[in-house]
Amino acid sequence: MSNPSPALPNPANRSNRLQHLVDLIGIPVLAVITAFIFGGIVIWITSGSLLSVQQAYVGMVRGAFLKERALSESLVATIPYIFLGLAVAVGFKSGMFNIGVEGQFYLGSLAGAFVGQAFGQSTSLPAIILMPLSILAGGLTGAIWAGIPGLLKAKTGAHEVITTIMMNYIAYRTVELVISGPLKDKVSSAVQTPAAAQAAWIWSLSSIPARLKDPLNALGVALYMAIVFFFIGRWIIGRTNLKNRFQKPGQRRFASLGFALAVGALFFFLFPPFTRVAWPFQDPYDRLHIGLVLAVSASVLVWWLLWKTTIGFELRSVGANANAARYAGVNITRNMVVAMAISGSLAGIAGTVEVLGVTACHCMPVLFSTGYGFDAIAIALIAKNDPFGILAAAFLFGAMRNGADMMELSSGVSKYVISMIQAMALLFVAAPAIIRSIYRFRLRRRDEESETLEPRLKG
Amino acid sequence: MSTFTSTKQEKRFAIRGSWWINILFVAFALVVAYYLFNLIIYGKCAGGCVVGILSQSLVYATPIAFAAMTGLLCERSGIVNIGIEGQMLMASMVGYAVNVYAFQALQHIMDPTAAGNISRWMALLCGVLATVLLGLLLAVVSIKYKVDQIIGGTVINILSAGVTGYFYRQFLASDVPPGPGTFPVVAIPGLSQIPVIGPILFDQKPLTYTMLVLVFFVFYMLFYTPWGLRVRSVGEHPRAADTLGVNVNKTRYISVVLASVVAGLGGVWFTLEAVDTFSPNMTNGLGFIGLAAMIFGKWNPLGALAGALIFGLGSSVTSILAIYRPDIPSQIPQMLPYVLTIIVLTGVVGRAIPPAAENTPYEKQ
């Protein structure tokens, strides 16, 4: 090489940062594009004409973005993907392969529907309590269901990949058993649980103006906003010149609390009238619900948990190198269970949000989830387990899922083709060398060196 | 340069510890289970019913044992294969499609019986070929590109679900021409006349016989031949094997390909031997249960066969239970194999130690 690379690259260098960003998202983006090309080739070969490839992909784009309510339907499908992708990512980051998110999702939705119905009927709790309670029930159920494989791995060494898959099958049967037996809706002819009380429903965006007429609901929204803005306030203070003004941590906390209360009050008094006057989401058939807000909050929360807390640091250190973590005094056993419980709770919450937000009956039908869980593994891996990358990957998958029906309808190409595309994308992200050899782009010298050096150091 | 020969020391490890205690224990457990079972169904199962259950459990055990052999061959060489489920699904779809369409083509040039025979064998071959391709994908990804093997297996599972679903919807869901059906039962002359053992062991379909032979063949190959010693050494301590001149990665490639052939046999079992149709996700987790049987057998083919037989027994008992006790919700017995798998994995039957070099790519010095 004629130009020797610097011994220590300067991370603050602007072009280096850009390079870093390209490295970070370049491979996944190219992987997805390549996977779509691959899918096109498969359609081309099996149907024998390039026209149907075009029809299929145009149909998919139309179904995902262009037809009526398409975008919000894509977002509806994105919501569980975000939660489940986060669930898988938390597991991966902690060195646990939680393949069982599907089962946790399933049982979580059952628990959410049950609490929403049972507590709603008997106590008539207000939404501000019942909705969080249902979500909590779903999360707790998912956490327990995922915690069992974690505990088994920690105590007996049973590998979580197989146990979680077995737990999936047990979960399906359990749900079937419970829905067709003790929890069956006696009134309806369909096999499903009774509908949850209205207070437990996850609000659809179009129902918000009506919901906010109840001051308790408005208080709930204000409270949520206050919490969000408390953390935003702290972040702003830490990032700007304001941190010189508030020297002591107590002052900072006080300042952001004041900021949060102000925002909360603003929302409490001004948001309900605003929604009555001008609310962009009026369409009552639009199924988009506030689960989207919860999902985005969850990804911020997971990021904060993994990268800004001691628990997260321990989880990540176990995931990166369990032996090193053990020598450093981390309790591996406890971390396995904690990781699985967090992961499972996210999956359970996904189920509750789905069952109380999307299903037409606001109940748990016997055939409910259709393979969100396995897609979630691909989502987490394509996003490289990054909570914000998961938002993008989940949207991609949600849009594909939503567009698939339209594709099948308009071109006759089976919607299973998207599973193929997703598997290929996952393969290319997992083995970036394939992508590099297809597109023949060179690594920078430093990476090349480290790629050949690293295993030698390990061995 | 020393060559690898299996020593007496090795042979002792082939069947571990006091094996006769294990056999006594299993026999005792079976008797207890039999009485418990009869208690549940009010003593309606005796004589022919028992023979039926045992024969049926051998049938149900076949795909599980094939899956277990696949996992075993892979893991003994240091490659974790959780894509067996996907491999089997692919083989069952390919087998079904080839069987039906080859029969349709051949029907016109020969008599239906011969056409059926040829198309079934072609289907078997193509199913195996499909799994070998998937196996090569796993091998290349995990050996050449050093991807985590569990992710590689997941890719295979998702890919197979997609491909089989796609071809099912495009070509196999409707307007399928009539196929030649599954392999017929082949009663072995003479042996099948033996009272109890005959109908259980010697009145089965060809793949079941293949499975039984294969298990003992794999056992012999792994523990009594230089090749087997090489495979095991590559799975336990690749560096040592490499030092002694074994080509680690070549051995792994060969093991994965051979294992994939076995997985193909297990996959075509579904559509060439069990039922005459294909439906999406018809493997229904049996690939994973096969892995559990392998762990139950402590990575030993004979033990894995025992594990598969226990799972098979569970399934056949379940179907009998549905007949005699319709008041018990069918979901509870349906759950049993999965619960059993978890119990097995927790090491109730003794701690199992996997091959040491599992899921670690080998880097030549």
Side-chain angles (χ1 to χ4, degrees):
Chain A
M1 283 277 171
S2 53
N3 50 339
S5 66
L8 278 170
N10 180 8
N13 189 326
R14 199 170 182 82
S15 73
N16 252 343
R17 264 195 185 175
L18 192 71
Q19 183 69 48
H20 181 69
L21 193 70
V22 169
D23 286 353
L24 202 67
I25 65 170
I27 293 284
V29 168
L30 276 178
V32 169
I33 292 171
T34 316
F36 268 100
I37 295 171
F38 171 84
I41 292 172
V42 170
I43 299 172
W44 182 28
I45 291 171
T46 52
S47 68
S49 74
L50 269 173
L51 190 68
S52 57
V53 180
Q54 187 221 347
Q55 275 175 346
Y57 283 160
V58 167
M60 189 188 289
V61 170
R62 267 179 55 211
F65 303 112
L66 301 178
K67 74 169 198 238
E68 202 187 2
R69 288 190 286 274
L71 187 62
S72 52
E73 281 300 314
S74 290
L75 285 172
V76 166
T78 305
I79 293 164
Y81 276 146
I82 294 175
F83 280 116
L84 292 172
L86 289 172
V88 178
V90 168
F92 276 140
K93 271 284 168 199
S94 331
M96 301 288 282
F97 282 89
N98 184 3
I99 312 277
V101 286
E102 180 91 3
Q104 294 139 25
F105 175 86
Y106 227 66
L107 273 186
S109 47
L110 179 69
F114 172 69
V115 168
Q117 180 257 328
F119 284 74
Q121 302 303 331
S122 57
T123 57
S124 68
L125 287 169
I128 187 175
I129 296 174
L130 189 58
M131 193 164 73
L133 196 67
S134 308
I135 293 175
L136 200 70
L140 204 64
T141 312
I144 292 170
W145 199 250
I148 295 170
L151 197 67
L152 291 179
K153 164 129 185 193
K155 293 289 179 199
T156 69
H159 202 287
E160 78 277 11
V161 167
I162 302 177
T163 44
T164 49
I165 289 169
M166 294 300 122
M167 295 293 274
N168 273 352
Y169 288 103
I170 298 173
Y172 302 149
R173 298 289 163 270
T174 310
V175 169
E176 251 177 60
L177 183 68
V178 173
I179 292 183
S180 57
L183 281 189
K184 188 180 178 313
D185 187 359
K186 309 295 193 283
V187 186
S188 165
S189 62
V191 182
Q192 59 188 35
T193 60
Q198 208 174 4
W201 296 3
I202 308 287
W203 306 343
S204 68
L205 289 189
S206 56
S207 76
I208 283 183
R211 290 277 186 178
L212 289 183
K213 281 178 188 150
D214 184 349
L216 264 180
N217 288 346
L219 184 69
V221 171
L223 213 60
Y224 181 80
M225 284 300 166
I227 293 169
V228 169
F229 275 87
F230 176 70
F231 288 106
I232 291 179
R234 294 196 63 164
W235 183 73
I236 291 174
I237 291 171
R239 272 302 178 90
T240 56
N241 281 336
L242 284 170
K243 72 176 167 219
N244 299 327
R245 193 171 302 170
F246 307 111
Q247 294 282 349
K248 290 180 194 155
Q251 279 179 332
R252 286 185 201 175
R253 205 172 297 144
F254 191 70
S256 39
L257 193 66
F259 176 58
L261 283 179
V263 172
L266 211 64
F267 262 91
F268 183 69
F269 291 112
L270 294 184
F271 192 53
F274 165 76
T275 57
R276 278 195 288 277
V277 176
W279 186 240
F281 310 99
Q282 293 287 1
D283 182 358
Y285 296 105
D286 195 328
R287 297 197 299 170
L288 187 57
H289 54 93
I290 58 166
L292 188 62
V293 180
L294 299 180
V296 174
S297 318
S299 74
V300 177
L301 207 64
V302 165
W303 169 80
W304 176 78
L305 181 84
L306 280 179
W307 274 275
K308 300 288 164 189
T309 65
T310 317
I311 298 173
F313 179 75
E314 287 194 354
L315 289 177
R316 283 186 299 123
S317 65
V318 172
N321 188 337
N323 283 331
R326 187 182 292 123
Y327 285 125
V330 176
N331 184 343
I332 306 277
T333 316
R334 202 194 59 194
N335 264 286
M336 282 177 178
V337 182
V338 168
M340 286 303 279
I342 294 172
S343 172
S345 65
L346 284 163
I349 290 171
T352 308
V353 168
E354 186 76 358
V355 81
L356 293 177
V358 180
T359 52
C361 60
H362 293 93
C363 69
M364 175 92 184
V366 75
L367 291 173
F368 175 52
S369 158
T370 44
Y372 279 113
F374 279 95
D375 294 353
I377 299 165
I379 290 172
L381 288 170
I382 287 174
K384 294 183 175 173
N385 301 320
D386 178 274
F388 302 112
I390 283 170
L391 293 180
F395 181 62
L396 176 75
F397 273 54
M400 279 169 83
R401 189 187 176 97
N402 181 32
D405 288 321
M406 187 77 184
M407 177 189 77
E408 190 168 290
L409 222 67
S410 65
S411 68
V413 173
S414 158
K415 63 181 175 185
Y416 279 96
V417 79
I418 65 169
S419 295
M420 254 188 275
I421 294 171
Q422 288 163 355
M424 292 317 285
L426 170 58
L427 174 69
F428 294 144
V429 171
I434 300 175
I435 287 290
R436 287 201 205 100
S437 63
I438 291 175
Y439 295 97
R440 300 184 182 286
F441 65 78
R442 291 189 60 80
L443 289 173
R444 282 169 305 145
R445 195 180 152 77
R446 191 162 51 86
D447 287 351
E448 264 175 30
E449 275 170 4
S450 70
E451 200 157 87
T452 49
L453 264 179
E454 187 199 27
R456 231 179 265 172
L457 291 171
K458 252 163 94 182
Chain B
M1 193 74 196
S2 70
T3 50
F4 281 110
T5 45
S6 48
T7 60
K8 203 156 191 164
Q9 182 76 17
E10 273 302 325
K11 279 180 187 168
R12 228 184 54 212
F13 277 104
I15 300 172
R16 248 174 250 206
S18 47
W19 54 276
W20 55 273
I21 290 187
N22 285 342
I23 288 181
L24 268 182
F25 175 75
V26 169
F28 178 70
L30 281 180
V31 171
V32 170
Y34 173 68
Y35 278 104
L36 272 178
F37 178 59
N38 257 330
L39 213 64
I40 296 174
I41 62 167
Y42 314 123
K44 278 180 187 153
C45 194
C49 169
V50 173
V51 171
I53 286 186
L54 291 179
S55 154
Q56 201 58 32
S57 50
L58 191 61
V59 171
Y60 287 132
T62 304
I64 301 174
F66 275 127
M69 289 307 117
T70 308
L72 203 138
L73 280 171
C74 285
E75 296 205 2
R76 278 288 184 174
S77 74
I79 306 279
V80 176
N81 184 357
I82 66 160
I84 299 173
E85 177 83 5
Q87 285 184 309
M88 297 211 306
L89 192 62
M90 186 70 96
S92 60
M93 189 277 289
V94 170
Y96 176 65
V98 171
N99 193 16
V100 167
Y101 285 103
F103 181 70
Q104 193 198 16
L106 289 173
Q107 229 174 354
H108 305 297
I109 48 173
M110 56 181 77
D111 72 296
T113 331
N117 274 331
I118 293 177
S119 61
R120 272 194 291 266
W121 286 105
M122 273 173 71
L124 189 128
L125 212 66
C126 291
V128 167
L129 205 67
T131 47
V132 167
L133 287 179
L134 283 179
L136 275 176
L137 177 70
L138 175 73
V140 169
V141 159
S142 50
I143 295 170
K144 183 162 181 233
Y145 292 109
K146 302 186 179 62
V147 173
D148 189 297
Q149 290 158 11
I150 302 226
I151 295 176
T154 307
V155 167
I156 287 181
N157 284 337
I158 299 178
L159 186 68
S160 299
V163 170
T164 54
Y166 179 76
F167 279 90
Y168 173 74
R169 286 287 274 271
Q170 298 293 86
F171 304 112
L172 302 173
S174 55
D175 304 330
V176 183
T182 59
F183 279 112
V185 172
V186 182
I188 294 180
L191 289 175
S192 61
Q193 305 303 321
I194 305 171
V196 176
I197 300 171
I200 296 174
L201 279 181
F202 301 112
D203 198 10
Q204 300 278 11
K205 291 187 174 183
L207 282 174
T208 308
Y209 296 130
T210 314
M211 180 275 285
L212 286 173
V213 173
L214 186 85
V215 168
F216 290 95
F217 181 66
V218 169
F219 177 73
Y220 174 77
M221 288 300 281
L222 270 182
F223 292 101
Y224 293 87
T225 63
W227 175 81
L229 188 57
R230 273 183 217 129
V231 169
R232 285 181 293 138
S233 65
V234 161
E236 293 290 349
H237 201 313
R239 180 130 299 147
D242 191 21
T243 313
L244 291 171
V246 177
N247 187 336
V248 173
N249 287 343
K250 193 177 144 199
T251 311
R252 287 184 171 175
Y253 272 117
I254 291 173
S255 303
V256 173
V257 168
L258 289 179
S260 302
V261 171
V262 178
L265 294 177
V268 294
W269 176 87
F270 287 91
T271 46
L272 294 184
E273 198 163 295
V275 288
D276 193 19
T277 53
F278 175 80
S279 54
N281 290 325
M282 76 183 302
T283 44
N284 213 7
L286 287 188
F288 297 112
I289 293 185
L291 285 177
M294 170 195 77
I295 296 170
F296 175 86
K298 297 179 179 153
W299 285 267
N300 180 321
L302 300 184
L305 175 63
L309 284 174
I310 289 176
F311 285 121
L313 188 67
S315 303
S316 63
V317 162
T318 303
S319 53
I320 295 287
L321 198 63
I323 298 170
Y324 289 111
R325 285 294 298 272
D327 54 316
I328 297 178
S330 65
Q331 288 91 358
I332 291 178
Q334 277 171 10
M335 256 184 239
L336 277 180
Y338 307 116
V339 177
L340 196 64
T341 306
I342 292 179
I343 294 173
V344 164
L345 287 174
T346 53
V348 175
V349 284
R351 192 121 187 174
I353 298 149
E358 254 186 31
N359 205 3
T360 40
Y362 180 65
E363 199 72 36
K364 210 173 165 70
Q365 285 280 27

